[in-house]
Amino acid sequence: MWKFPRRTRYADCNGSEASEETEIAVNIGGVKHILYGDVLNRYPETRLAELVNRATDSTREDLSALCDDYDDLKREFYFDRDPEAFKCILELYFYGKIHMKGGICPMYLKRELDYWGIDVEHLGACCKSHLNEVETMLAQIAEKVKAIQNTLKEDAMVTRGQRCRASLRNLIGKPKSSLAARVIGIVSVAFILLSTVVMCLSTMPELQVQDAEDNLIEHPIIHTIETACISWFTVKYILRFVSSSNNLRFMTSFMNIIDFITIMPFYLVLILETAMMDRSNVQQAARVLRVIRIAMRVMRIARVFKLAHHSSGLRTLAIALKSSLKEMSLVLIYMSVGVFLFSALGYIIEESHPESMFTSIPMSFWWAVNSMSTVGYGDIYPQTTLGKCNAAVSVVFGMLAIMLPLQLIIKTFGAIYNNQHELEIIAKREIELTELRAEDEVKGCQEAGKMPSQASSKHSM
């Protein structure tokens, strides 16, 4: 059995026998600490508490499972751990909470906590939130790296069909993979912008023509350009579907659903026009087609979201908006309260004026929204002095209601943007490392193939 020194900790007031506690010496990376059993037993489930409790009645083999080495002469336990991180560990026994020191990685400290048998819940609230942020970021990085590795595995398929699908997928969906893919990406963006511009120009009366019933319709040239754009979108959608490794996941993707919605109305109109040509009730058929064309115009507006396929900034904006729903709801709540309050006050104040523009509280909502957002449309405005004072207060309240939560939204957007930028950098590094590993493996195989030939040539000499 190993015996450890004991020391007198305290004596009672009557001078009776003093209490003694076990004393142990631990060496953490070259830094020696003297620790006492009563302090360590405040948290009996930790490694140090178990060490001090087993020190007096355990063999060397049992103690070696709790430390890296033990000096019998010095009666000292050795641990190959970071002494700076151990200072954080000691805070638990003396102060009941652990706080990270400057320059210590949160994930490294978490590994130290796991080694010493300390739960993460003992971290301070400030440090715990920082650790959660780092863990979330690392999880996203791991997910991104896993996606890259899966993509590389998919690209390295053995069968000819799988290799063709991987090449087609890179050609259509990865503009940075080759020069041809970059050209296709530029052409796709050009078609998206062209279709958007054509949709806007088609609403101008100067660029419309009259049909047989003197109704204004799209110019034939605009219709031809629209047909060409739809044809390009259709071909690209089909190729992306064919080259997809998971067709079900492809069909349920949000961006692919938008692509489908922007394409299908065009073909639906063509099918209905062909089906209704033989109907006797031409006016009813024309009415149905007119409604469908209006719906198709609405769907064409969604084409602008197709730019998200080619812009990482738009994807970052979507993620930031999704993460800022709570802050945006605050803006909505503040504005709703202000609109109701100041529109009601404006109506009550202006109601007695003979030329009042505030005919009702719901009609005053429009004025309140314009005033609080500082737009000032000018179609409704107060005419009394008290009403103008109410308008001034509504403007100031509206500015505060928008500006205060806006800082939180900007902070969230900045954090997400930096996070996405780091993910892209790590993804590029992972690709480069994978390529270097592949080159090293090829060189290793070539050198291994040369060795037998060199050995045989020396033997023949």
Side-chain angles (χ1 to χ4, degrees):
M1 298 296 178
W2 297 94
K3 300 298 182 183
F4 295 89
R6 292 179 176 271
R7 66 180 179 93
T8 301
R9 292 301 310 277
Y10 58 87
D12 58 23
C13 59
N14 297 322
S16 61
E17 185 178 356
S19 172
E20 295 182 342
E21 291 292 343
T22 303
E23 173 186 305
I24 64 172
V26 294
N27 190 309
I28 311 297
V31 180
K32 186 175 179 180
H33 299 270
I34 303 298
L35 304 176
Y36 305 106
D38 60 338
V39 176
L40 299 179
N41 280 320
R42 294 173 183 175
Y43 298 92
E45 296 180 356
T46 60
R47 180 184 288 261
L48 290 174
E50 186 177 358
L51 181 65
V52 74
N53 292 329
R54 294 172 58 181
T56 57
D57 56 355
S58 297
T59 62
R60 187 185 183 103
E61 289 74 14
D62 295 334
L63 295 176
S64 62
L66 298 175
C67 62
D68 296 319
D69 197 6
Y70 174 72
D71 191 338
D72 185 24
L73 297 178
K74 297 181 179 180
R75 298 183 180 274
E76 189 172 340
F77 294 95
Y78 292 91
F79 295 88
D80 295 331
R81 314 301 298 184
D82 185 4
E84 293 297 323
F86 187 73
K87 294 179 181 178
C88 302
I89 303 299
L90 288 180
E91 287 189 359
L92 174 67
Y93 298 98
F94 292 101
Y95 306 111
K97 283 290 181 182
I98 297 177
H99 292 276
M100 285 183 282
K101 306 297 182 183
I104 296 180
C105 174
M107 299 307 298
Y108 181 78
L109 180 61
K110 183 181 178 181
R111 288 196 296 269
E112 290 293 308
L113 293 177
D114 293 338
Y115 176 81
W116 296 107
I118 300 174
D119 194 88
V120 181
E121 295 299 324
H122 293 297
L123 276 175
C126 54
C127 300
K128 191 185 300 183
S129 62
H130 183 43
L131 176 62
N132 293 335
E133 291 177 0
V134 174
E135 287 182 333
T136 302
M137 185 184 70
L138 292 177
Q140 293 176 351
I141 293 174
E143 184 179 356
K144 186 74 174 179
V145 171
K146 185 178 179 181
I148 295 173
Q149 293 175 346
N150 292 336
T151 302
L152 294 175
K153 291 179 181 179
E154 292 175 358
D155 294 344
M157 298 298 181
V158 292
T159 64
R160 180 178 299 178
Q162 291 173 335
R163 287 197 298 268
C164 291
R165 289 175 61 183
S167 301
L168 183 60
R169 185 166 54 252
N170 293 334
L171 187 65
I172 300 297
K174 298 180 181 179
K176 297 182 180 180
S177 60
S178 63
L179 179 61
R182 185 180 295 274
V183 172
I184 291 177
I186 294 174
V187 172
S188 298
V189 174
F191 269 107
I192 294 172
L193 296 177
L194 179 61
S195 64
T196 304
V197 172
V198 167
M199 180 194 68
C200 298
L201 295 177
S202 64
T203 60
M204 298 177 60
E206 297 83 358
L207 299 179
Q208 294 177 342
V209 296
Q210 293 181 344
D211 58 4
E213 299 178 357
D214 294 334
N215 295 322
L216 292 177
I217 60 174
E218 292 182 352
H219 196 279
I221 296 178
I222 293 179
H223 183 71
T224 302
I225 297 174
E226 175 69 15
T227 304
C229 293
I230 287 293
S231 301
W232 172 265
F233 296 149
T234 304
V235 171
K236 187 177 179 181
Y237 184 85
I238 293 174
L239 292 177
R240 290 175 59 238
F241 177 78
V242 171
S243 62
S244 175
S245 58
N246 191 331
N247 293 334
L248 180 60
R249 185 173 58 186
F250 177 86
M251 293 295 295
T252 56
S253 175
F254 176 73
M255 294 305 303
N256 294 330
I257 292 175
I258 290 179
D259 293 342
F260 183 80
I261 289 175
T262 57
I263 293 172
M264 283 308 298
F266 180 82
Y267 296 102
L268 184 61
V269 170
L270 292 180
I271 295 172
L272 292 177
E273 284 181 348
T274 305
M276 291 181 177
M277 282 182 180
D278 299 333
R279 288 195 174 186
S280 58
N281 193 348
V282 181
Q283 293 182 351
Q284 183 179 0
R287 252 191 321 269
V288 174
L289 288 175
R290 191 177 299 113
V291 173
I292 295 176
R293 286 195 180 97
I294 294 174
M296 186 179 72
R297 286 186 176 182
V298 175
M299 297 301 180
R300 284 161 63 180
I301 298 175
R303 289 180 189 172
V304 69
F305 293 107
K306 293 169 69 68
L307 291 173
H309 282 299
H310 310 276
S311 174
S312 60
L314 288 177
R315 291 194 294 269
T316 303
L317 177 62
I319 297 173
L321 291 177
K322 183 179 179 181
S323 302
S324 304
L325 290 178
K326 184 177 180 180
E327 289 79 9
M328 294 177 66
S329 63
L330 287 177
V331 177
L332 182 60
I333 292 173
Y334 295 160
M335 291 294 292
S336 300
V337 172
V339 166
F340 177 78
L341 176 62
F342 293 109
S343 60
L345 289 176
Y347 170 74
I348 294 172
I349 294 171
E350 297 288 323
E351 182 183 10
S352 58
H353 196 279
E355 298 179 0
S356 176
M357 298 180 181
F358 295 77
T359 57
S360 65
I361 293 180
M363 289 296 295
S364 302
F365 287 169
W366 171 249
W367 164 83
V369 171
N370 288 321
S371 298
M372 293 181 63
S373 60
T374 67
V375 174
Y377 190 75
D379 55 340
I380 301 177
Y381 53 89
Q383 297 183 2
T384 64
T385 302
L386 191 58
K388 293 178 181 179
C389 293
N390 177 60
V393 175
S394 69
V395 171
V396 175
F397 182 85
M399 293 175 61
L400 294 176
I402 295 174
M403 290 173 58
L404 293 178
L406 188 62
Q407 298 298 323
L408 300 176
I409 298 175
I410 293 174
K411 183 179 179 180
T412 302
F413 179 81
I416 292 176
Y417 180 82
N418 294 331
N419 188 18
Q420 294 295 319
H421 183 65
E422 291 178 1
L423 288 177
E424 291 179 0
I425 294 176
I426 293 173
K428 293 178 181 178
R429 290 179 180 174
E430 185 66 26
I431 293 174
E432 294 174 356
L433 290 175
T434 304
E435 293 176 353
L436 290 175
R437 293 192 194 101
E439 292 177 359
D440 292 340
E441 291 179 359
V442 172
K443 290 181 181 179
C445 293
Q446 291 176 353
E447 293 176 357
K450 291 179 181 179
M451 292 295 291
S453 60
Q454 293 176 356
S456 59
S457 62
K458 291 182 180 179
H459 181 72
S460 59
M461 292 174 63

